[in-house]
Each structure stands twice: as structure tokens, then as C-alpha cells.
């Protein structure tokens, strides 16, 4: 097998200067999306091995030629085929949020939705621009595998993704009247760790608890029955990171709902 000289060419034809942060976000999303695609579709003996690397950056419009390199040189794969499949997959995800889903297409994951929104970020902010991704194999463009997005389409994609993902959780918010169950709780009023609870209205997973005062925790510990078998109505400060709750700060326990063990 000869040398693989296939290239994934990213071209942003911009009409005004591109903010570096937007370009970085777009390229990072392309790299992440390609890695996810390769891990899912390519039978690589070394998972997470095939990644994109910059071969050349050109002036004029923003043009980047990206190559794929794998950790195992002995493993043979035609990168042009992987690039073509990646472009097809990216186009299908974009079309889903443009209201043109492929027949039988599965819904994109939340991760894929965020990736496509980030990929088109630079063109969404420049109404005189366009964004292209092509496969070059031996210096020739594969005209059958081409990703092209206009500013109008980029904004439509981002609006579609926003509706699809729903509102994100603020980094900090105070909520009252929330129902909480306990996964575990330390029998120590002064304990600052080891307490975990679930507030299903916010997330179905257990999150670290922090009682902000002794009275709130005493209501949990001074029960005759096992507190793990009760439901607590609480006022809680939810602290989140990455749109996911990371800490519940329990301000007040307003009611205890007793359940059978």
C-alpha cells in the first residue's frame, strides 16, 4: 500500500476578522467529533488512536489541511475513506438540525449536538462567510463528500441545537420546595463530606450534599426511622459545572415525608 496523502481541508471564507476563540472552539469540536466518529466506526486495535493533526495553514481565507495519524503504524486504513464517512456523518447531523433528517436517522446525542453547534460558530457570526470541509486524496477534491454551511444555515443549526438541548442549568441557583432523597448520610453534625442525595426534579443521579447549618442536618439525623427511607422537602442552592449539578447546599429542611421501609 502506498503512502496515504489524503487530507481533510477546512476552509472558512470569512468577510471580517475571525475571533481566535471562535476558531479554536470550531477546530476543537471538529477534532473531538472526528475522534468520536473514528472510535465508533473504525476497527482500530488501539481505541482513541486516530486523531487529527494540522499539516498546513494557509493565508487568505482560513484554510487548514488536517491529516489523521494513528499510534500504530502497522495498522492499515485508507484515511480518505474515514474522512469521507466523517463528512457524511457531520452533514447528516447538521441536516437534522436544519429540519432535513435522513430517513431512519437516529437522533443525535447531546454531545453531537454541542459539537455541530461549535463547529459552525465562526460562520454563524459572519453573514458574509461560508464554511467548507472537503476530502483531498492525492491532491484531488472528492466532490461527492463535501460539507458546506452558510451563515443562515449555521444560525438555524445553533437555534435547533438550543431547542434540542433545552435550557442549561445556571452555575448557581436557589430553589425552594424541592423533594430530596438520600443515598448516604454521615451520622455527624459536623461532617462536611460523605453526604449524597438525589433531587429528581434536577437530576436523577446522586449529588454531593453540604448542609449549611446544624439545624438543617439535625432534622435529618434526629429521626426515629432510617433517613434513607424518607423524602425531604428542602430549600437548596444548586451549584453546577458544565450544565450538570455538582453540589447541593441544603439551606433548610421544610418538611419530612415519612415512607414505609
Amino acid at each position: 500500500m502506498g503512502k496515504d496523502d489524503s487530507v481533510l481541508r477546512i476552509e472558512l471564507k470569512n468577510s471580517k476578522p475571525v475571533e481566535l476563540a471562535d476558531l479554536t472552539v470550531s477546530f476543537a469540536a471538529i477534532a473531538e467529533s472526528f475522534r468520536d466518529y473514528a472510535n465508533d466506526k473504525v476497527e482500530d486495535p488501539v481505541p482513541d488512536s486516530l486523531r487529527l493533526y494540522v499539516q498546513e495553514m494557509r493565508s487568505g481565507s482560513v484554510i487548514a489541511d488536517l491529516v489523521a495519524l494513528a499510534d500504530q503504524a502497522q495498522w492499515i486504513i485508507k484515511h480518505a475513506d474515514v474522512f469521507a464517512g466523517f463528512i457524511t456523518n457531520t452533514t447528516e447531523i447538521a441536516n437534522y438540525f436544519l429540519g432535513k433528517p435522513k430517513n431512519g436517522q437516529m437522533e443525535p446525542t447531546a454531545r453531537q449536538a454541542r459539537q455541530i453547534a461549535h463547529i459552525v460558530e465562526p460562520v454563524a457570526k459572519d453573514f458574509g462567510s461560508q464554511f467548507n470541509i472537503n476530502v483531498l486524496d492525492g491532491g484531488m477534491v472528492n466532490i461527492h463528500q463535501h460539507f458546506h454551511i452558510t451563515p443562515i444555515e449555521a444560525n438555524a443549526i445553533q437555534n435547533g441545537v438550543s431547542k434540542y438541548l433545552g435550557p442549561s442549568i445556571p452555575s448557581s441557583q436557589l430553589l425552594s420546595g424541592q423533594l430530596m432523597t438520600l443515598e448516604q448520610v454521615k451520622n455527624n453534625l459536623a461532617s462536611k463530606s460523605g453526604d449524597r442525595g438525589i433531587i429528581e426534579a434536577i437530576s436523577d443521579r446522586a449529588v454531593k450534599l453540604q448542609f449549611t447549618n446544624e439545624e438543617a442536618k439535625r432534622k435529618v439525623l434526629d429521626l426515629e426511622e432510617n433517613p434513607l427511607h424518607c423524602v425531604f422537602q428542602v430549600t437548596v442552592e444548586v451549584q453546577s459545572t458544565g450544565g450538570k449539578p455538582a453540589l447541593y447546599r441544603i439551606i433548610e429542611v421544610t418538611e419530612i415525608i415519612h415512607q414505609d421501609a
Side-chain angles (χ1 to χ4, degrees):
M1 184 176 179
K3 179 183 177 182
D4 192 330
D5 58 359
S6 55
V7 169
L8 188 70
R9 176 164 293 176
I10 313 297
E11 181 180 25
L12 172 62
K13 294 184 177 180
N14 53 304
S15 65
K16 61 182 182 180
V18 184
E19 187 174 348
L20 180 59
D22 294 337
L23 189 63
T24 302
V25 164
S26 178
F27 274 51
I30 290 170
E32 181 184 79
S33 181
F34 178 81
R35 189 169 66 246
D36 290 349
Y37 175 81
N39 286 339
D40 184 48
K41 301 297 183 181
V42 179
E43 296 180 358
D44 188 343
V46 181
D48 206 28
S49 170
L50 195 64
R51 299 187 179 207
L52 292 176
Y53 294 82
V54 176
Q55 182 185 62
E56 182 180 3
M57 293 288 290
R58 302 184 182 184
S59 60
S61 299
V62 179
I63 302 175
D65 287 349
L66 310 181
V67 295
L69 299 178
D71 291 338
Q72 284 199 351
Q74 307 97 314
W75 183 57
I76 298 174
I77 181 173
K78 187 169 175 58
H79 291 165
D81 293 339
V82 184
F83 288 154
F86 169 67
I87 288 180
T88 297
N89 186 66
T90 303
T91 300
E92 289 176 356
I93 294 171
N95 284 340
Y96 180 91
F97 291 108
L98 289 172
K100 301 182 291 185
K102 181 181 177 182
N103 288 337
Q105 179 181 353
M106 294 180 61
E107 288 190 354
T109 65
R111 181 181 176 91
Q112 290 173 324
R114 285 190 289 268
Q115 286 170 346
I116 194 65
H118 288 154
I119 286 171
V120 302
E121 178 71 12
V123 71
K125 292 184 175 181
D126 182 354
F127 276 87
S129 66
Q130 61 176 267
F131 192 80
N132 304 306
I133 306 179
N134 294 297
V135 179
L136 277 71
D137 193 4
M140 301 294 293
V141 175
N142 182 340
I143 61 174
H144 300 294
Q145 303 299 335
H146 177 75
F147 179 78
H148 171 79
I149 289 294
T150 67
I152 292 176
E153 290 172 329
N155 279 274
I157 288 170
Q158 291 189 332
N159 289 336
V161 168
S162 180
K163 292 178 182 178
Y164 184 76
L165 295 178
S168 60
I169 300 176
S171 59
S172 179
Q173 59 179 334
L174 185 65
L175 301 174
S176 60
Q178 301 299 303
L179 298 181
M180 177 185 73
T181 56
L182 298 172
E183 182 185 74
Q184 63 183 42
V185 63
K186 292 290 186 68
N187 189 22
N188 183 344
L189 290 173
S191 175
K192 299 296 183 181
S193 63
D195 299 339
R196 295 177 62 82
I198 299 172
I199 301 177
E200 291 186 358
I202 301 172
S203 173
D204 58 3
R205 69 181 183 91
V207 173
K208 179 181 177 181
L209 301 179
Q210 184 182 90
F211 290 85
T212 61
N213 57 78
E214 183 177 308
E215 180 184 359
K217 188 159 188 181
R218 187 178 295 282
K219 287 186 177 181
V220 171
L221 295 182
D222 288 354
L223 295 173
E224 294 184 0
E225 68 266 52
N226 188 337
L228 301 184
H229 298 154
C230 295
V231 177
F232 300 90
Q233 187 180 72
V234 298
T235 299
V236 56
E237 179 188 353
V238 182
Q239 296 186 352
S240 305
T241 179
K244 297 181 180 179
L247 175 67
Y248 294 150
R249 298 185 73 245
I250 307 303
I251 309 298
E252 182 183 15
V253 177
T254 54
E255 187 176 349
I256 301 169
I257 302 172
H258 302 271
Q259 294 183 325
D260 295 332

